[in-house]
Amino acid sequence: MPRTPRDASAGLFHVSTHCVWAAPELYRDDVDRLEFLRHLARTVTPGWTCLAYCLLTNHYHLILDVEDGLLPRGMHVLNLRYALHHNRRHGMRGHVQDRRYWARRIGGEGDLLETFAYLARNPVKAGLCRSPARWPWSSYAATVGLAPLPSFVDPSLVLASLADAGFDPRAALRAHVEGT
């Protein structure tokens, strides 16, 4: 049975990928996480913008803004580059990601804010930290102004959705995510 064609049109997407059953950890240590972020930075090109990322132990989440036709190509490049690194470093072969990446179109500012909050809260829910701002493998702390912003992350669309809140959009985003 043929696969359902991917949504390859322009827009905002929440993207996620999990590791295969044979490798219980997509990122075994900080070296793996840094290598993934290096590949993500190389994948971000004109027409392929990373608004947010969150790396956990066995999967990752991205919020991307892509032009027409670029999501599948960019995801192929990103996952292939990381798989080659992972297999070479850990003496494995074959697929590193469980299935094809999962992608959901984000429908408007409200959905974008809730998706961003979901990504930011994910490490807390997984028991990896007590506060979203304390997870070093997420762009959340940088987006709310608590850490330097990586050059390949552009959270302007997320922050713009809170520009009418009457105060600093970063503070409004932090209050939304952390309930403070």
Side-chain angles (χ1 to χ4, degrees):
M1 175 180 239
R3 294 179 179 176
T4 305
R6 293 214 179 267
D7 183 350
S9 58
L12 289 171
F13 288 88
H14 173 198
V15 179
S16 180
T17 298
H18 283 60
C19 64
V20 296
W21 62 270
E25 296 176 333
L26 188 57
Y27 311 106
R28 295 186 183 185
D29 56 24
D30 292 352
V31 172
D32 283 348
R33 287 183 183 93
L34 287 169
E35 187 69 16
F36 179 85
L37 292 177
R38 187 174 75 81
H39 292 304
L40 178 58
R42 287 178 54 203
T43 304
V44 171
T45 57
W48 212 86
T49 304
C50 179
L51 281 67
Y53 69 85
C54 185
L55 313 183
L56 286 96
T57 303
N58 64 354
H59 68 288
Y60 68 81
H61 293 273
L62 305 173
I63 298 177
L64 302 172
D65 185 13
V66 295
E67 290 181 4
D68 200 40
L70 294 184
L71 180 62
R73 278 188 257 158
M75 290 304 298
H76 172 76
V77 168
L78 174 61
N79 286 336
L80 177 62
R81 285 177 178 165
Y82 182 71
L84 292 171
H85 154 81
H86 187 275
N87 285 345
R88 186 173 45 253
R89 183 164 186 245
H90 299 295
M92 298 179 69
R93 296 184 330 181
H95 294 282
V96 172
Q97 289 85 16
D98 181 27
R99 291 182 197 99
R100 299 187 317 159
Y101 68 89
W102 172 87
R104 179 186 66 81
R105 181 175 288 280
I106 295 174
E109 286 184 353
D111 191 14
L112 175 59
L113 283 174
E114 289 311 310
T115 302
F116 183 88
Y118 173 81
L119 264 69
R121 294 176 189 139
N122 211 274
V124 175
K125 185 177 177 184
L128 299 170
C129 60
R130 297 180 77 178
S131 162
R134 296 186 60 83
W135 185 243
W137 303 108
S138 166
S139 60
Y140 172 72
T143 299
V144 297
L146 301 175
L149 187 67
S151 62
F152 62 91
V153 176
D154 180 0
S156 59
L157 286 175
V158 176
L159 295 170
S161 64
L162 292 163
D164 296 332
F167 51 98
D168 179 18
R170 294 178 197 280
L173 183 59
R174 189 169 185 195
H176 175 74
V177 170
E178 298 182 40
T180 58

